[in-house]
Amino acid sequence: MSLPKIDTAIATSAPCKHCGEASYGADFCCGGCETAWDIIHAGGWEAYYKVRDNNSAVPVTQGDRSFAYLNTLSYREQHTRRHGEQLQTTWYLNGLRCPACTWLVENVTRAQDSIGDVQVNFSDSRLDLTFHESADLEHLAEILAGLGYTAGLQPVIEHGSSGELLRLGISGALAANLMLMSLPFYAGISEGFGAEIFAWVACALATVLLLYGARPFFTHAKIAVQNRAISLDLPIAMGLSGAWILSTTNLVRGAYDLIYFDSMGMLVFFLLLGRYIQGMGVRKALSAGRRLLADMPQMVLLEGKDEPIAAQDIQPNDVLLLSTGDLVPVDGFLLSDSAVLNMHVVTGESHPVDLRTGAPILAGAVNMGGTLRLRAESAFDDSRFAQLETMARDLRRHRPRRYGSTLATGFLIVVTLLAVGGFIAWWSAGPLQAASVALTLFIVACPCALALAEPTARAMAWAKAAKHGIWLKDEDVLDKLTQIREVIYDKTGLLTDGKPKIVATHCFITQRHWLDAAVLTLESATDHPIVHAFKEHLTPRLTLPPATEVRVIPGAGVSGMVDGRHLVLAAANRLERFGLSPATRESLREFAAVMNSTSTLVCAALDGQPAAIYELRDEPRPEARQLVNDLRERGLQQTIISGDHAGAVLSTAATLGVEAYQAEMLPEQKLAWLKEAETQKVLMAGDGLNDMGALAAAGVAVTHDEASRAAVHFADVVLQGRDISRIHHLFSLAQTTQFATRAGYVLSLGYNAVAVSLALAGTIGPLTAAILMPLSSLSLIGLIAACFRGRSPWAS
Amino acid sequence: MGILILLVPVTLVLTATAVGAWYWACHNRQFDDLDSPAYKMLLDDQEKEDTI
């Protein structure tokens, strides 16, 4: 049976008017884009299309986030603050692709009733809203979601970086003025006209600078000493204090040409500058994180109350009413007679679990059966799932120290020994001269270059990645990437968009239209990705009441009662899970075999008899082939693993040029298979829907921001949007980072070797040292920046 | 050279003013978003009816 040819006319027709993706002959690629177009034109905001970046457009995905929380009292209390007569609040928006989106969001928001003012910060994806008490925030959030911008909340956090920038600027002002005040001494006029005024003013400014600008160094040094850890802030703090003490002593003595306040000032300024630049990369990554993890609290119905409450507000002993598909928000006990739950996110099992009255239920489970009653045992934050999330976050924060800091520790010890040695050696020339040499050594043996090399390289890598929509969750990812030898792809949802389309239907019974309606009704009760395929393809002429006794088996299918008849919709290779008679299974299988299709086959059985077979196709993404080629050139082994049937997986593998593949895998099998490999050398890319276990076990886990929430939480790398060609960029970036770090070490060690020798020989004084020191930091930053520019994987 | 008695304090006052302006800018979030203002310039703001 030959495959139908794609009509090339349709394939090359005009793209979606809203997002620019292929739309196969229609004006829009999906309902979401069409809605967005309508909203924009209705409001008169068409100028948006002219100004936005055309390569940043993305189809509007229909999310299922509920914004009901925004109109509750709880939200008002916890997330808003008073601002004169109005209230203020902050949201995080997902979906801002270019600054033109900020204009659109701001204007759409302002056009709503009772909104005072709105500011959208593009780099942070943050929306600051000022509004009147009567504003309908839920409605606003829904409109924005319709345009493709989903709002989420974070626990209230204060903006930290303005303090750093402030300190940097003030230190710069003070340092510059210190240099000004030192001018007479540079010019050689140290007596006469009152040069001492300058010296004393310089002293005053330097004192302010030391107490305010240099405070972070002293604070960190103190913490390090208290914890008996070695920190590079220690010699910096000592060097700065030494410079101040020495200069003030000389000032009092009247030796005006031996004061070094301006050098001290430059030291502080350049050190702060270096740290700020480093911090920029970190801040960008953090803000990407806030945006991705921002979410709306779930609303839950309590027994006996009309209005739902936020999940956060659940108290122990509350009785919750959960419908089909609802996530269980807290740990508790079952009150209903029976329930069917999917514990996938919690335990990794994909089989749903049958429970009886009194059974304990863990937060994170999904209700697969009908409405269930649950008595809450814990409050929201105390549930096991919340604890797991906190634990995962903490684990990440307390990683063991990198070898770079061991190097730095050794370096520190050597420097201290040399300084002490130098002091003793020069003692015969006088104590002040000896102190001067020791001070010079401390300043010039800039630990900063060494300390800065690795963090600066990482920060630049981070920032570069963030700029291209790649969010690296923690610092070690880049190192781990250099160890990777094997790449494993999940098929559906990663290599493909996970949005299969129905390409053909084979119906065995006469009531075709009834069957279509019934299939649609049953599928609507689930959140399978293929629901959309059915919705788009089937246009039923009648509406049926909702399905009952719905039972979903993840990875296999769904069964339920529709209009009094028992309907089963299952993947052709998973029929045995649904209690169908062997005869029915055989005839469905035979038909499927005859079709010999590379499509995914979904079988429908009505009252135990074969009813229809639907052919679904999920084409791989266009950039996937290029990615496979690129990674093959890097010498990486690639495999596709999928729960889909062999024909479909083979077809995808052949299209992309991947030699190895595993088909028909259950989630547990995927995990087991992965564990057989050396996990630290494996990069797994998936969307978390049925590969959570495998993702968590892999050395590096990559997912995208449209994947399941659990995947976004546990993955190491999150891509913005579905373009997976960036996986190749990850490897390039990791390589560049490693190179840049090593280059940085070479530069700083070489510089130190030369400078320390000069200092010990007495050839340079603290003044020259203070000039050399920032030079080393700057050249280091410059070198690392050059590494990233020169080898940019995005250059062409 | 007596003019220095005047100039030094003037310098300090100027510095203080500059520092004050910097402080205002940082706290007023002037440096937070450096990308959007470039685009907002190109588009017209909508006139809004006063509904409050």
Side-chain angles (χ1 to χ4, degrees), chain A residues 61 66 74 116 163 195 211 233 302 362 440 462 488 493 507 528 562 569 593 653 657 680 684-685 700 750:
Chain A
T61 42
S66 158
S74 168
L211 294 174
D233 291 305
L302 284 187
L362 290 176
T440 308
W462 233 343
I488 299 185
C507 193
H528 277 166
V562 180
L569 260 182
Q680 287 317 304
M684 164 95 195
V700 174

Side-chain angles (χ1 to χ4, degrees), chain A residues 68-69 72 298-302 305-311 313:
Chain A
Y69 181 63
T72 61
Q298 193 186 354
M299 298 296 280
V300 177
L301 266 175
L302 284 187
K305 299 232 175 86
D306 292 323
E307 294 293 318
I309 64 165
D313 296 334

Side-chain angles (χ1 to χ4, degrees), chain A residues 347-609:
Chain A
T347 62
E349 287 169 39
S350 58
H351 286 251
V353 173
D354 281 308
L355 296 173
R356 303 278 163 237
T357 316
I361 299 183
L362 290 176
V366 178
N367 180 13
M368 302 268 92
T371 309
L372 68 82
R373 293 168 63 229
L374 166 79
R375 181 186 297 284
E377 188 200 356
S378 69
F380 187 73
D381 291 321
D382 300 329
S383 78
R384 191 168 155 271
F385 189 60
Q387 285 173 353
L388 277 177
E389 290 192 356
T390 322
M391 210 165 56
R393 228 182 298 138
D394 285 338
L395 270 177
R396 222 168 266 125
R397 224 179 287 146
H398 297 126
R399 288 288 161 92
R401 316 204 79 196
R402 305 285 316 144
Y403 90 99
S405 28
T406 327
L407 187 66
T409 313
F411 178 84
L412 250 178
I413 296 175
V414 168
V415 164
T416 315
L417 288 176
L418 283 176
V420 168
F423 186 80
I424 295 171
W426 280 83
W427 183 257
S428 48
L432 275 174
Q433 179 71 326
S436 193
V437 167
L439 179 69
T440 308
L441 198 82
F442 262 125
I443 297 176
V444 91
C446 180
C448 6
L450 207 67
L452 280 183
E454 197 177 32
T456 308
R458 281 180 174 175
M460 288 204 185
W462 233 343
K464 193 156 196 147
K467 204 164 149 207
H468 290 266
I470 303 177
W471 179 41
L472 302 170
K473 277 248 202 105
D474 72 52
E475 330 180 300
D476 295 334
V477 175
L478 291 167
D479 285 325
K480 286 200 269 187
L481 277 167
T482 53
Q483 309 290 331
I484 301 291
R485 298 285 166 267
E486 199 179 335
V487 174
I488 299 185
Y489 305 100
D490 180 36
K491 182 176 84 75
T492 314
L494 187 89
L495 290 176
T496 70
D497 277 333
K499 291 204 183 109
K501 302 214 183 312
I502 297 184
V503 295
T505 341
H506 309 273
C507 193
F508 311 134
I509 58 177
T510 48
Q511 312 107 305
R512 166 114 184 219
H513 298 301
W514 186 91
L515 184 66
D516 281 352
V519 162
L520 198 58
T521 313
L522 183 60
E523 271 294 324
S524 303
T526 73
D527 53 7
H528 277 166
I530 60 176
V531 173
H532 301 290
F534 283 109
K535 279 198 184 138
E536 280 174 25
H537 190 87
L538 303 176
T539 34
R541 304 214 191 128
L542 36 107
T543 338
L544 294 172
T548 55
E549 289 174 47
V550 175
R551 193 192 161 101
V552 177
I553 299 183
V558 55
S559 68
M561 300 294 296
V562 180
D563 204 22
R565 306 182 70 179
H566 185 254
L567 180 62
V568 170
L569 260 182
N573 53 346
R574 297 260 182 265
L575 292 172
E576 64 279 357
R577 299 258 194 110
F578 291 92
L580 296 169
S581 71
T584 310
R585 294 206 306 263
E586 264 318 297
S587 54
L588 280 172
R589 279 218 192 94
E590 265 177 39
F591 196 88
V594 163
M595 285 168 60
N596 192 24
S597 172
T598 52
S599 317
T600 305
L601 298 171
V602 175
C603 304
L606 186 63
D607 292 330
Q609 298 300 315

Side-chain angles (χ1 to χ4, degrees), chain A residues 45 51 53 86 99 103 106-107 110 112 114 120-123 126 128 159 165-166 169 177 193 198, chain B residues 4-5 8 11 15 19 22-23 26 29 31-33 35-36 39-40 42-46 48 51-52:
Chain A
W45 297 302
V51 190
D53 284 342
Q86 301 179 327
W103 177 83
E106 282 180 3
N107 279 302
R110 278 198 203 108
Q112 305 307 312
S114 303
V120 177
N121 182 326
F122 178 69
S123 32
R126 200 179 70 234
D128 290 305
H159 218 28
L165 191 60
L166 183 67
N177 277 284
F193 71 103
F198 284 83
Chain B
L4 286 169
I5 299 289
V8 169
T11 307
T15 308
V19 165
W22 181 259
Y23 180 86
C26 285
R29 300 182 160 186
F31 299 110
D32 278 4
D33 186 2
D35 302 305
S36 321
Y39 278 81
K40 288 197 205 169
L42 297 170
L43 299 158
D44 299 321
D45 274 343
Q46 307 286 310
K48 187 180 136 71
T51 54
I52 297 184

